[in-house]
Amino acid sequence: MSIYKHLATLKTQLTGELHVDDLMKILYATDASVYRILPLAVAFPKTVDDIKKLVLFASTHNTSLIPRTAGTSLAGQCVGSGIVVDVSRYFTKILSLDETLKTVTVQPGVVRDELNTFLKPFGLFFGPNTSTSNRCMIGGMVGNNSSGTTSIQYGVTRDKVLQLKTILSDGSEATFKSLSKDEFLEKVNENSLEGAIYKTLYNELSDADTQQNIISNFPKSEIHRRNTGYAVDELIKSAMFSNVSEPFNMCKLLVGSEGTLAFTTEITLQLDVLPPSESIMIASHFKSIEDCLNMVETAMQYNLHTCEMMDKTILNLTKHNRTQQENRQFVEGEPEAILMCEVKGDSFDEVDKKAKQLLKAIELTKLSYANPLLYGADINKAIELRKAGLGLLGNIIGDKKTAACIEDTAVALADLSQYINEFTNLMKRHGQEAVYYAHAGAGELHLRPILNLKKQQDVVLFRKITTDVAHLVKKYGGSMSGEHGDGIVRSEFIPLMLGNTNYELLKRIKLAFDSKSIFNPGKIVETLPMDENLRYEADRVEPDIETILDFSASQGILREAEKCNGSGDCRKLPEFGGAMCPSYRATKNEKDTTRARANALREFLTTSEKKNKFNHKELKDVFDLCLSCKACASECPSSVNVAALKAEFQYQYQKEHGTSFRTKLFAYNNVLNHYGSKIPRLTNFVFSNTISSRILKSSLGIAKERQLPLISTKSLNKIFLNIVNQNIESEKIKEVVLFVDEFTNHLDTQIGKDAILLLQALNYKIRIVKHEESGRAFLSKGFLKQAKKLANSNVSIFKNIVSENSPLIGIEPSAILTFKDEYLKLADDKIAAQKIADNTFLIEEFLQNEIEQGNITSNQFTTNKRTIKFHGHCHQKALANQLSSFSVLNLPKNYSVTIIPSGCCGMAGSFGYEKEHYQISMQVGEQTLFPAIRKANTDVIIAANGTSCRHQIKDGTQREAKHPVTILKEALI
């Protein structure tokens, strides 16, 4: 019987899910590392009993289990050829909190920041803080012994784990916690696998020579961030093996073991009291890496809570990422490196005194050229800039990328400067200019070579550089892995780092825990080669893929997909801000992440033997729930534009399979609205009548819960002829070209009229020329040839009209912003398209600019008091700035405006109307938007500038939302 028949039987026995389909295996073949291994299957266990069944299945059928949470590991820890066991879907509960003992017990799939949100009201928090903290999970942090920016104050994960409930390799349950000598010896005498494990450790570690060999060969004890091999050096510090009072705790060994010894189901953590509330950060700027690192020892004498470094490479990449551009406002000039030093105190006076002392010490060294002080939200922005480092490194265009192999070295602080000098010389010998960013205060440097792992010569260099650095780290008694783990990339260097005798000890410990090697094989011991199983086949012939959209900025659509490095930012939850990724937030399914879509597309474009490489149902499945919100283009550190990838996929796929009648109706809705507008009363009767609308929706596959949008009785183009430039003073302030989008023209005509009346009242001359629709509906349905035709036509129409003195402004974000996004990828006349894009503005942006120039003042508006809650359109958030809407709504003196911290509303054009997508659409709305609106008093004005957003708000909350221009028009004196 084949293994797949056995898997089919196993599937019926689990309460969770088991997948053996190609798509799911492709999605779990990679993590955030450079490796790719197709698994046998992917499991989502719901219960401990499910995990036991998986363990017994692996043992019986000679396969393995690879534990996985968020999949953000950098060393290949969670890829393998066995069954990937993803606990991020169901093992997500916070089980108990003991406020007195300051402990919490969680399942491994709890997100680190989610845990701290829960703990904050109790004045507690879990200290270790990785750059991926808004999506990484406690189980993964335990597996890697994660630490992050806070370790210099609060230690690493190993310091915090008190107890682990696990499943051992024979399917038995074992709880590991602190044991006295007597309790330890009782365990040794137990007739069980757990007992055998304790007996092995007792026999191995009691030997004085073994202990001395460990002490002599493991990293220096003052290096707190060390995760090379199994932490037997921690075990011998216990009362069982040394003259100390510290009890023995097997958790010290299991933390950092990367799931190779046991399968964890519950974790009990020691918590800390929340840090002091007041903070000041000094962001010291340096003209050289050497000067920056020479500052670290001085700075660390001042009880820092953060001591982080970024180099010029990362800082330059932040210039081109929309989200990070705002976060880098504190940067002065062009520093080679920045060292961020944060001090804290219980009062401002206390922290101010600490900051002044630190600043004086920094200035006395004369190493830095600028030392701006950051406060409040600006500190968080700087930290987010630093956190984005890993992902931003994936934003390098082309096949050369930063490779994670030597990015986790840690040395003693006293050795840091000398080590980095030797490291720099080593890299120069290999023709490399390394990228430096670091937890400098902990002596840990995230240093990366830039390599093209599609070329065999660079694969050879990948190994050579890693080997040379391993020897250098060993010279300084450092750790090859500080917090990212050994995984595949570093495990084969453990014999060098710890010595062969210690390595054989680790192998015997693995054997005692897991004699059949079912738990995550190929990591730490009996390792896989670090230069095999890479994402790319070396020296392959790159596929030539023709597209309608122009992906030349990324050197083609394949490289656009390859920009995804797996950092998993698209898995962050709604409470942590942003909009990416709305579908994942609704389903919690890896398939519905930005990462999954990029990975799947990369896989099929690379390996498909079909003439049309897009012609795969798996790609249709993975793109199905993408709402094309474009959040990934701005929030993903690598700026992977999945909305563009989806549009191109739809076009290519539909070439083979055609399109449904409903899809055509949605794509050509402007044409239909045009004809409907000739008989608006009859059209609206059909759309609104209970019987006729039900028949219409049922026959077209439109959700029965939706209200169909009604046609305006007169188009905006017709209305404009009657009201154009009636109330303008002889000396107009400026002429503007108004783009009459297809939605405003036929559906939201009153908003268009309000915009015209508002602009005229403010003394702007309005020009409207005959033009095409934006093409938004065509783009959303993959009708790219039709969209391209419209783009070329509109560019031709506007190229000699739109200028800095005569800007193009629009009302509907999804329409006007096509000029700044898709038209640049569609238009044949790139120069003209770019000129138009540079002078195209959302109407709120235009008004904000005019306010800043003093052309519009609050004196022109009412002084009545109103409260407004504003929801911004996704495309505005991704391509423009919703603060412009916030600013113009605040123009009336007594208007109080807040931005709803919502992501996507969930409608996304036709997406939310389609019956198969309705529930997901409403789930997205329920994440933040709907609850915020329901909490608002009835006298609060709800504002939303997107037509889809207003319809979604109406359907989801029964509240009418107004466009900002309507609110301002009504506020005119």
Side-chain angles (χ1 to χ4, degrees):
M1 185 184 290
S2 76
I3 187 72
Y4 285 102
K5 289 185 177 179
H6 291 298
L7 285 167
T9 302
L10 175 64
K11 184 174 182 177
T12 65
Q13 297 170 348
L14 299 176
T15 56
E17 295 105 50
L18 185 70
H19 296 268
V20 295
D21 58 282
D22 288 344
L23 176 58
M24 198 62 78
K25 289 194 287 186
I26 285 168
L27 301 185
Y28 282 82
T30 55
D31 52 9
S33 72
V34 297
Y35 298 102
R36 172 190 172 275
I37 303 175
L38 280 173
L40 177 68
V42 179
F44 298 94
K46 271 189 177 180
T47 64
V48 170
D49 192 51
D50 277 355
I51 296 174
K52 289 182 179 180
K53 289 174 182 175
L54 287 164
V55 168
L56 293 176
F57 181 90
S59 180
T60 303
H61 297 284
N62 193 31
T63 187
S64 60
L65 304 179
I66 302 97
R68 177 167 170 141
T69 51
T72 58
S73 294
L74 291 163
Q77 288 95 323
C78 49
V79 298
S81 58
I83 302 172
V84 174
V85 184
D86 185 345
V87 297
S88 70
R89 187 176 296 180
Y90 298 119
F91 278 73
T92 58
K93 294 182 179 65
I94 298 172
L95 299 171
S96 65
L97 171 66
D98 189 319
E99 292 182 68
T100 303
L101 295 178
K102 298 185 180 65
T103 65
V104 68
T105 298
V106 301
Q107 291 182 317
V110 171
V111 174
R112 186 268 183 189
D113 282 359
E114 189 177 28
L115 173 61
N116 278 349
T117 298
F118 167 81
L119 294 171
K120 189 174 182 179
F122 302 98
L124 301 169
F125 85 121
F126 175 60
N129 178 29
T130 67
S131 63
T132 57
S133 63
N134 61 12
R135 68 261 190 204
C136 80
M137 296 173 180
I138 301 299
M141 295 183 74
V142 169
N144 287 346
N145 186 31
S146 299
S147 46
T149 59
T150 57
S151 71
I152 55 178
Q153 279 286 341
Y154 297 103
V156 300
T157 300
R158 181 176 287 127
D159 301 323
K160 305 300 180 184
V161 176
L162 301 176
Q163 178 176 295
L164 294 171
K165 284 190 177 181
T166 67
I167 308 298
L168 299 180
S169 60
D170 65 350
S172 63
E173 294 186 47
T175 299
F176 296 106
K177 58 184 179 180
S178 291
L179 300 176
S180 67
K181 278 188 177 182
D182 290 341
E183 289 170 328
F184 183 101
L185 293 172
E186 286 177 15
K187 290 286 186 182
V188 169
N189 293 320
E190 286 182 7
N191 185 24
S192 63
L193 177 55
E194 183 183 0
I197 291 167
Y198 278 99
K199 187 174 183 178
T200 296
L201 289 172
Y202 180 71
N203 292 336
E204 293 283 1
L205 301 182
S206 295
D207 181 73
D209 290 339
T210 297
Q211 291 187 22
Q212 186 55 51
N213 195 46
I214 291 169
I215 294 168
S216 299
N217 286 282
F218 268 65
K220 292 179 179 180
S221 59
E222 62 264 39
I223 303 171
H224 200 48
R225 289 167 174 258
R226 59 191 193 282
N227 204 44
T228 300
Y230 297 135
V232 290
D233 57 330
E234 292 292 323
L235 295 185
I236 62 173
K237 295 176 184 177
S238 69
M240 195 64 228
F241 301 107
S242 301
N243 230 0
V244 295
S245 59
E246 182 78 17
F248 179 93
N249 193 328
M250 191 76 77
C251 296
K252 299 287 186 184
L253 183 74
L254 293 175
V255 175
S257 66
E258 302 180 6
T260 62
L261 301 179
F263 201 108
T264 300
T265 60
E266 285 185 23
I267 304 159
T268 300
L269 302 168
Q270 183 66 61
L271 305 172
D272 288 292
V273 175
L274 282 171
S277 57
E278 298 293 335
S279 298
I280 297 177
M281 176 178 283
I282 300 175
S284 296
H285 293 44
F286 300 88
K287 293 181 179 178
S288 72
I289 298 290
E290 184 179 7
D291 284 347
C292 179
L293 293 173
N294 283 334
M295 176 68 78
V296 174
E297 273 201 276
T298 297
M300 282 297 292
Q301 296 173 24
Y302 290 84
N303 193 30
L304 301 184
H305 280 249
T306 300
C307 185
E308 300 290 309
M309 170 195 155
M310 294 181 290
D311 80 346
K312 187 175 182 178
T313 301
I314 290 178
L315 290 169
N316 285 343
L317 288 171
T318 65
K319 294 178 181 179
H320 309 294
N321 180 274
R322 293 188 185 98
T323 298
Q324 300 308 325
Q325 284 169 357
E326 184 179 346
N327 292 339
R328 71 185 314 277
Q329 295 301 311
F330 69 92
V331 179
E332 299 181 18
E334 296 291 335
E336 287 294 323
I338 289 178
L339 188 69
M340 303 188 304
C341 302
E342 183 183 19
V343 290
K344 287 180 174 285
D346 292 320
S347 67
F348 180 79
D349 287 344
E350 179 187 351
V351 75
D352 185 53
K353 181 179 178 181
K354 290 181 178 180
K356 287 176 178 175
Q357 291 172 341
L358 173 60
L359 181 61
K360 183 178 179 181
I362 290 172
E363 289 174 342
L364 283 173
T365 67
K366 296 183 179 179
L367 293 171
S368 59
Y369 72 82
N371 301 289
L373 272 64
L374 308 182
Y375 304 86
D378 288 337
I379 295 176
N380 293 331
K381 288 179 182 179
I383 290 172
E384 287 305 311
L385 189 76
R386 160 63 183 78
K387 280 187 173 185
L390 274 178
L392 287 167
L393 291 173
N395 210 4
I396 299 174
I397 301 302
D399 290 336
K400 284 196 169 187
K401 303 287 185 185
T402 56
C405 54
I406 56 171
E407 89 297 344
D408 199 32
T409 64
V411 297
L413 214 53
D415 297 327
L416 184 59
S417 182
Q418 193 171 348
Y419 166 76
I420 203 64
N421 284 337
E422 288 201 52
F423 176 88
T424 301
N425 291 331
L426 183 157
M427 295 300 282
K428 285 180 179 177
R429 290 198 300 272
H430 288 297
Q432 287 282 320
E433 285 198 21
V435 177
Y436 299 85
Y437 72 110
H439 302 296
E444 181 173 16
L445 299 173
H446 293 323
L447 314 163
R448 293 185 173 213
I450 299 174
L451 300 169
N452 179 5
L453 293 180
K454 293 181 179 180
K455 299 296 183 184
Q456 183 60 38
Q457 63 186 29
D458 275 19
V459 174
V460 172
L461 195 56
F462 179 58
R463 171 177 285 279
K464 178 62 175 168
I465 289 172
T466 309
T467 303
D468 288 354
V469 170
H471 283 281
L472 179 62
V473 173
K474 181 64 176 176
K475 172 183 174 181
Y476 282 95
S479 178
M480 192 65 175
S481 172
E483 63 173 338
H484 294 167
D486 296 314
I488 297 173
V489 75
R490 284 178 284 272
S491 285
E492 67 172 277
F493 298 98
I494 293 175
L496 167 65
M497 304 309 299
L498 304 182
N500 285 320
T501 301
N502 283 327
Y503 182 64
E504 291 301 318
L505 170 63
L506 302 191
K507 288 167 66 176
R508 293 193 295 273
I509 290 173
K510 166 70 172 176
L511 187 66
F513 272 91
D514 183 20
S515 60
K516 292 186 178 181
S517 196
I518 66 169
F519 288 137
N520 211 9
K523 291 59 178 253
I524 300 184
V525 299
E526 305 294 350
T527 61
L528 295 169
M530 62 88 67
D531 51 1
E532 296 180 11
N533 299 300
L534 300 174
R535 283 197 186 198
Y536 310 115
E537 178 186 347
D539 295 332
R540 76 185 189 195
V541 177
E542 289 293 304
D544 184 21
I545 301 163
E546 293 185 6
T547 59
I548 296 291
L549 290 172
D550 181 2
F551 289 96
S552 60
S554 298
Q555 298 181 12
I557 190 171
L558 177 57
R559 290 184 178 88
E560 177 70 32
E562 288 174 348
K563 281 160 62 176
C564 175
N565 60 17
S567 63
D569 296 70
C570 43
R571 288 178 62 106
K572 71 178 185 291
L573 300 177
E575 52 265 42
F576 304 126
M580 183 177 69
C581 176
S583 54
Y584 171 75
R585 291 174 171 186
T587 67
K588 302 296 193 298
N589 190 337
E590 173 71 21
K591 177 181 77 70
D592 301 317
T593 62
T594 302
R595 175 171 71 179
R597 290 161 187 141
N599 279 338
L601 188 62
R602 169 185 52 78
E603 182 78 21
F604 284 106
L605 293 184
T606 303
T607 63
S608 175
E609 296 181 359
K610 292 185 177 182
K611 184 177 180 181
N612 183 341
K613 293 176 180 292
F614 297 88
N615 184 19
H616 290 273
K617 185 180 180 298
E618 291 88 349
L619 289 176
K620 185 175 185 294
D621 291 342
V622 83
F623 280 112
D624 179 52
L625 295 187
C626 173
L627 284 79
S628 298
C629 68
K630 303 188 182 182
C632 46
S634 60
E635 294 179 28
C636 169
S638 300
S639 301
V640 180
N641 190 341
V642 171
L645 297 180
K646 179 182 180 179
E648 187 67 46
F649 160 73
Q650 287 175 308
Y651 167 75
Q652 302 286 352
Y653 189 81
Q654 287 165 180
K655 285 199 302 186
E656 307 296 329
H657 298 274
T659 54
S660 69
F661 181 61
R662 184 186 69 180
T663 297
K664 290 175 182 175
L665 284 179
F666 280 132
Y668 284 93
N669 81 87
N670 185 51
V671 175
L672 298 175
N673 289 338
H674 170 73
Y675 287 118
S677 69
K678 295 181 181 299
I679 45 172
R681 289 179 176 80
L682 177 59
T683 302
N684 290 339
F685 173 81
V686 174
F687 283 2
S688 59
N689 178 267
T690 304
I691 296 173
S692 57
S693 67
R694 184 169 65 241
I695 293 171
L696 194 62
K697 286 184 279 190
S698 176
S699 61
L700 295 177
I702 294 173
K704 65 182 186 301
E705 297 87 350
R706 290 294 184 191
Q707 301 298 312
L708 297 175
L710 301 180
I711 303 292
S712 299
T713 55
K714 190 181 289 188
S715 74
L716 183 61
N717 281 323
K718 290 181 180 178
I719 292 174
F720 178 72
L721 297 175
N722 298 322
I723 63 173
V724 61
N725 302 321
Q726 291 179 349
N727 302 310
I728 299 177
E729 298 174 11
S730 57
E731 288 296 321
K732 68 182 186 302
I733 296 174
K734 187 177 292 184
E735 178 182 87
V736 298
V737 181
L738 182 64
F739 182 75
V740 181
D741 67 83
E742 54 271 33
F743 308 103
T744 306
N745 192 33
H746 291 302
L747 303 176
D748 296 318
T749 304
Q750 183 58 50
I751 296 172
K753 184 177 179 181
D754 290 341
I756 292 170
L757 293 175
L758 174 66
L759 289 168
Q760 289 182 168
L762 297 174
N763 206 34
Y764 292 91
K765 183 177 180 180
I766 300 167
R767 182 179 181 186
I768 292 180
V769 299
K770 187 177 180 181
H771 59 74
E772 303 288 352
E773 63 177 283
S774 71
R776 168 53 50 207
F778 286 136
L779 288 162
S780 73
K781 293 303 178 188
F783 286 51
L784 295 188
K785 284 191 173 179
Q786 293 88 331
K788 183 178 178 67
K789 183 178 179 181
L790 293 175
N792 281 329
S793 180
N794 278 331
V795 168
S796 178
I797 290 167
F798 287 111
K799 67 179 182 180
N800 295 320
I801 298 173
V802 174
S803 67
E804 184 177 352
N805 295 321
S806 185
L808 181 66
I809 64 174
I811 298 165
E812 166 56 37
S814 67
I816 190 64
L817 293 175
T818 55
F819 284 90
K820 299 179 80 70
D821 188 12
E822 288 91 350
Y823 279 22
L824 300 177
K825 297 180 176 69
L826 287 169
D828 294 325
D829 189 340
K830 302 293 184 187
I831 295 174
Q834 187 62 62
K835 177 197 167 192
I836 295 169
D838 292 342
N839 294 291
T840 295
F841 302 94
L842 197 59
I843 190 168
E844 296 103 299
E845 289 182 284
F846 170 76
L847 293 173
Q848 181 189 32
N849 291 337
E850 294 301 296
I851 292 167
E852 290 173 355
Q853 292 174 34
N855 294 330
I856 303 173
T857 69
S858 60
N859 294 331
Q860 295 166 281
F861 296 90
T862 182
T863 57
N864 293 338
K865 290 185 177 181
R866 298 306 301 264
T867 301
I868 301 169
K869 286 186 176 294
F870 172 72
H871 165 75
H873 190 282
C874 286
H875 293 184
Q876 178 188 20
K877 295 169 187 171
L879 301 170
N881 190 338
Q882 64 177 337
L883 288 177
S884 61
S885 301
F886 175 78
S887 297
V888 300
L889 286 171
N890 268 304
L891 187 57
K893 291 178 180 178
N894 294 316
Y895 277 24
S896 175
V897 187
T898 56
I899 295 176
I900 299 172
S902 51
C904 180
C905 74
M907 182 66 88
S910 62
F911 179 90
Y913 281 95
E914 295 163 348
K915 66 179 183 180
E916 69 272 21
H917 295 145
Y918 174 76
Q919 290 300 331
I920 292 293
S921 170
M922 300 309 283
Q923 286 177 38
V924 173
E926 291 289 356
Q927 289 166 6
T928 306
L929 179 60
F930 293 170
I933 291 174
R934 292 190 192 109
K935 289 178 184 176
N937 292 331
T938 55
D939 61 344
V940 172
I941 299 174
I942 306 300
N945 55 3
T947 184
S948 289
C949 305
R950 292 190 296 275
H951 283 279
Q952 177 78 328
I953 290 168
K954 175 66 173 177
D955 286 350
T957 69
Q958 288 70 57
R959 293 285 296 269
E960 297 284 351
K962 294 183 176 183
H963 194 289
V965 297
T966 296
I967 296 171
L968 286 178
K969 181 257 179 184
E970 292 172 349
L972 284 168
I973 297 176

